[in-house]
Amino acid sequence: MAKVLVIDDSQDMLTLLQMILEKRGHHRVTTCHNGAEGLQVATTDLPDLAIVDVMMPGISGYEVVRQLRANEATKNMGLLILTARGQPVDKEAAMAAGADGHIAKPVNMDSLLAEVEALLERKQQEALQQAPPTPMARPSVPEPPASSASPQMTMAFFSLKGGIGRSTLAVNFATLLQQIAPTILWDLSPNSGHCALYLGLRPEKHWGEYLENPGTDVAGLLLRHQSGLALLASPPVPGQSGWFRDEDIENVLRQLHAAGRFVVVDMPPVLNSAATLILQRARRIVLLTGDDGPAIQTTRFTLQAIQEWQARLLVVRNAARPGSHPLPEALQRLLQTPLQGDIPYEPMQPEAAHKGVPVVALQPQAGFAVGMKRLAKLALTR
Amino acid sequence: MEKNRTTAEFFAQGYRVSGTFYVVTRPLADEVHDPTTDYVPLHDAYVSPIMNPSRISAYYRDALFDKNNLDFVLTVDQRDGLRRDQRFGLGRYSFKIFLTVPFFEVQGELRLVTPKLDSRVYLSSEAGTFITLLNVTARSTFNPDVQYEGGVAMVSRLRVSFFGERVE
């Protein structure tokens, strides 16, 4: 779910675009009737993408695009010019002003949506490539306490509600990060976790061996996926390996970070001491929610329980089942917190699991993959 | 939602005007070809000089275009540039035409019911002030890199200074 700003002096066009982008694109849309208002909203709301009409009374669309590109806060956002002036010279003018694309009216909505999705994806790729070696958070976001165990970036995928697709998302997220830098996925499930299965790996080595012998070199327990992603797998047989003490967590995290820049932890659905310690150490906590009653209840109470880390929290809805889902606004009202991500249902998941290739690698254009890339961008750049 | 309006490019005397025509009463082409009226009413008209056609130098919510001074009108969608009668069928014979009007060289396809085109006869004795060309490319005379493309151009017969059939 991206934030899209539409600037057009035609109310008909605004209504149409808002409807299409929200209902079919699942984006959050803000509309403005003129360039001046659009500039103001863009600099305060910081949308991911703006669709700008050229011919508007007052400031023209070209000038809006020029000013957005000149502004440090908005210079990297996606900018599409949508105009009835569809001649080659107009396209050149749009590009010269700084737009990423030019769409002529009357517009085919399928083409527009495809253009929007492609541009959002391109911007995410650019953001991922431009991510600094040690990703920085906004100064206002309190960082986890300095620790020798977290010199780089730990990201935790967390939900106290099971069956919500946490492992699926963690696997796909880690696969995306692997495209940027060496990444390790830690399947912390005590109950025969599924990350190895989703990656087509046999959990012949797993963290249970470390617990049996705390002197074990954790790097030697990593399984390697064809993408280069390393996995610290969960023991296949539950109940035989004991559990982590706080010092174990610190030690394993330290060793994992020595082996890779990003550590993605597929958290167990509990809030015990070890889980709490990882959440404390994590630079980003992706709290997954569903949109059914039990999931909403669990998420609301989880938010209360981990409110001290709210600044590092990304609340994400995962549509783990097909069918209709409530609009993000409705879910946000029920959760009483903003959603930072909205991952659509992906029917290819069983096939991806069968092949041992995450959807983000198997079908990078799928809506699910696009949603995951947005989430990765947000986690790295927010 | 947008079907009650047509946006077209109007070219006249060194200016490019992008304007919207409300097609509630009749199509744009019917309005342009109507010999009993002198003006085309436009809404949201954006004016640019031909020498800098992407710069919007003026905007008018409502405007009139004097048909007597029009060089040509260009529509992207072919349906918008055809009269109601033309929509039922154009001539089966196609001729590649090159013509010049002030500031532009225009290339397009002329459709006739006769297999032979006599340019002199066509220009002097055919009824109607505007010639309908299909699949048009109009190139700016003084800036040949700038060209306009459209499904239909309605070219003022009175403004044509050169008219030739291209044989390929």
Side-chain angles (χ1 to χ4, degrees):
Chain A
M1 184 175 64
K3 283 196 287 185
V4 178
L5 171 65
V6 184
I7 310 172
D8 199 312
D9 59 331
S10 159
Q11 183 57 48
D12 288 350
M13 204 65 195
L14 288 178
T15 306
L16 181 65
L17 287 174
Q18 181 165 26
M19 189 174 69
I20 295 289
L21 290 165
E22 285 183 349
K23 301 276 185 196
R24 289 179 54 193
H26 304 291
H27 300 301
R28 199 181 326 156
V29 178
T30 310
T31 60
C32 292
H33 288 88
N34 58 60
E37 185 189 350
L39 282 170
Q40 190 179 8
V41 171
T43 46
T44 53
D45 201 30
L46 298 177
D48 300 299
L49 183 145
I51 299 173
V52 188
D53 183 26
V54 169
M55 298 190 289
M56 293 182 289
I59 305 175
S60 81
Y62 295 141
E63 188 53 34
V64 170
V65 168
R66 269 190 284 272
Q67 291 195 28
L68 289 175
R69 281 285 181 253
N71 187 324
E72 189 64 28
T74 56
K75 68 177 183 183
N76 291 324
M77 68 187 288
L79 289 170
L80 281 177
I81 286 279
L82 176 64
T83 173
R85 281 193 152 183
Q87 296 296 334
V89 65
D90 303 312
K91 185 168 187 176
E92 286 170 19
M95 296 309 184
D100 294 299
H102 172 275
I103 301 172
K105 294 179 187 173
V107 62
N108 175 303
M109 287 303 158
D110 289 332
S111 307
L112 176 79
L113 271 178
E115 191 89 17
V116 165
E117 296 304 332
L119 179 55
L120 284 170
E121 187 182 337
R122 184 149 59 88
K123 288 290 171 186
Q124 282 155 14
Q125 293 287 358
E126 287 172 10
L128 288 174
Q129 285 162 6
Q130 291 165 5
T134 304
M136 295 180 295
R138 292 182 299 185
S140 59
V141 178
E143 287 302 313
S147 161
S148 59
S150 58
Q152 292 180 293
M153 198 164 188
T154 302
M155 306 203 197
F157 274 67
F158 184 56
S159 169
L160 292 177
K161 168 90 169 51
I164 217 160
R166 188 187 57 247
S167 296
T168 303
L169 263 59
V171 165
N172 280 276
F173 188 85
T175 305
L176 282 175
L177 293 189
Q178 173 63 33
Q179 295 172 9
I180 305 167
T183 300
I184 292 128
L185 174 61
W186 183 4
D187 186 345
L188 199 52
S189 170
N191 304 318
S192 187
H194 297 150
C195 292
L197 176 75
Y198 292 154
L199 291 168
L201 300 170
R202 289 168 60 90
E204 292 162 336
K205 300 180 284 185
H206 50 79
W207 50 254
E209 295 172 40
Y210 171 86
L211 291 180
E212 286 169 17
N213 181 7
T216 304
D217 177 19
V218 175
L221 298 177
L222 297 179
L223 304 170
R224 193 67 66 172
H225 184 250
Q226 55 185 315
S227 64
L229 174 67
L231 172 69
L232 181 57
S234 158
V237 182
Q240 294 189 347
S241 303
W243 189 238
F244 291 89
R245 299 164 302 163
D246 287 359
E247 55 265 37
D248 295 325
I249 293 290
E250 296 276 14
N251 189 27
V252 172
L253 270 179
R254 185 167 50 244
Q255 292 194 51
L256 291 181
H257 274 305
R261 182 169 138 204
F262 299 117
V263 173
V264 178
V265 187
D266 180 12
M267 300 284 291
V270 292
L271 202 50
N272 55 22
S273 172
T276 303
L277 184 57
I278 288 179
L279 294 179
Q280 281 174 353
R281 294 286 176 261
R283 196 177 290 255
R284 295 284 175 268
I285 302 167
V286 179
L287 177 63
L288 294 172
T289 183
D291 49 32
D292 54 77
I296 291 168
Q297 175 190 303
T298 304
T299 305
R300 281 189 60 172
F301 288 121
T302 305
L303 282 166
Q304 289 181 24
I306 61 174
Q307 61 182 349
E308 64 181 294
W309 304 309
Q310 194 173 8
R312 287 182 275 130
L313 207 57
L314 299 172
V315 183
V316 175
R317 185 244 303 260
N318 182 36
R321 59 178 169 79
S324 61
H325 294 271
L327 287 173
E329 293 75 19
L331 185 58
Q332 287 175 148
R333 277 197 299 275
L334 290 167
L335 292 174
Q336 297 176 356
T337 193
L339 279 180
Q340 277 84 30
D342 198 4
I343 309 296
Y345 174 72
E346 177 49 63
M348 277 197 67
Q349 292 294 3
E351 187 186 337
H354 179 69
K355 291 182 174 173
V357 180
V359 170
V360 293
L362 194 64
Q363 189 133 8
Q365 307 301 325
F368 173 88
V370 172
M372 288 305 298
K373 288 172 191 169
R374 275 187 211 135
L375 179 59
K377 175 193 170 191
L378 194 65
L380 290 174
T381 59
R382 185 184 168 194
Chain B
M1 196 168 281
E2 296 278 325
K3 281 180 180 163
N4 61 349
R5 65 185 73 171
T6 294
T7 301
E9 305 277 4
F10 297 78
F11 295 91
Q13 301 188 340
Y15 286 95
R16 170 196 187 190
V17 178
S18 307
T20 302
F21 176 78
Y22 282 89
V23 296
V24 177
T25 52
R26 58 178 174 172
L28 170 66
D30 284 15
E31 183 75 39
V32 172
H33 284 282
D34 185 351
T36 67
T37 61
D38 284 334
Y39 299 100
V40 180
L42 293 181
H43 303 273
D44 296 329
Y46 294 83
V47 183
S48 300
I50 282 300
M51 298 306 288
N52 192 354
S54 59
R55 180 172 69 84
I56 297 169
S57 55
Y59 161 78
Y60 299 96
R61 176 64 72 183
D62 295 296
L64 286 176
F65 220 115
D66 184 353
K67 286 198 272 184
N68 298 313
N69 288 314
L70 255 177
D71 296 331
F72 66 101
V73 182
L74 195 65
T75 68
V76 172
D77 192 326
Q78 217 165 66
R79 288 167 302 179
D80 295 332
L82 297 178
R83 298 188 308 263
R84 280 180 181 148
D85 62 296
Q86 290 174 319
R87 292 181 184 186
F88 291 103
L90 294 160
R92 60 184 285 208
Y93 298 102
S94 171
F95 303 92
K96 302 285 185 195
I97 299 298
F98 173 88
L99 58 82
T100 59
V101 292
F103 298 97
F104 281 98
E105 303 164 355
V106 181
Q107 294 183 42
E109 180 190 348
L110 180 68
R111 300 280 287 273
L112 297 176
V113 293
T114 56
K116 189 173 183 318
L117 169 66
D118 184 324
S119 301
R120 186 180 62 81
V121 172
Y122 178 75
L123 281 180
S124 60
S125 57
E126 281 283 321
T129 308
F130 287 88
I131 301 167
T132 299
L133 292 181
L134 307 179
N135 305 318
V136 175
T137 301
R139 202 178 292 278
S140 173
T141 309
F142 299 111
N143 192 359
D145 291 338
V146 174
Q147 66 176 36
Y148 301 84
E149 292 163 357
V152 169
M154 292 171 272
V155 185
S156 171
R157 205 183 292 269
L158 304 171
R159 315 290 288 178
V160 174
S161 52
F162 177 89
F163 182 97
E165 181 186 355
R166 286 192 297 130
V167 180
E168 292 169 351

